[in-house]
Amino acid sequence: PQSCRFVQNFIKRIAALEGDVVEYNGKEYTVPKDYFWALGDNPEESIDSRHFGAVPLQNVRAAVLFAYSFRPLSFRSVTEYETLNKS
């Protein structure tokens, strides 16, 4: 996104796709065609669509295949369903 040029690559969760309505700070945003709404796992610290708006689909470079967690300690594959439907 233009307003976040210092970030070259990042991993975020796709929270909404084109046509979906997202509510943030008491306002509603409709995700435009060929865009998605990205959210980080840590809402208080994450720089995501709440800061720079919807992201063009053309900016997607790859999909996450595996997730590693420290709490609880785990390592698992991430399916397409989880990637698109988890919020």
Side-chain angles (χ1 to χ4, degrees), residues 25-73:
N25 269 354
K27 296 180 183 176
E28 288 188 347
Y29 302 91
T30 301
V31 180
K33 182 176 178 7
D34 297 325
Y35 281 72
F36 65 93
W37 192 264
L39 293 178
D41 289 338
N42 184 347
E44 290 80 28
E45 299 292 327
S46 187
I47 296 174
D48 51 33
S49 287
R50 295 168 298 165
H51 299 278
F52 48 71
V55 181
L57 285 172
Q58 68 185 17
N59 288 5
V60 174
R61 295 178 187 234
V64 173
L65 299 176
F66 297 98
Y68 180 80
S69 175
F70 290 102
R71 295 184 199 122
L73 187 59

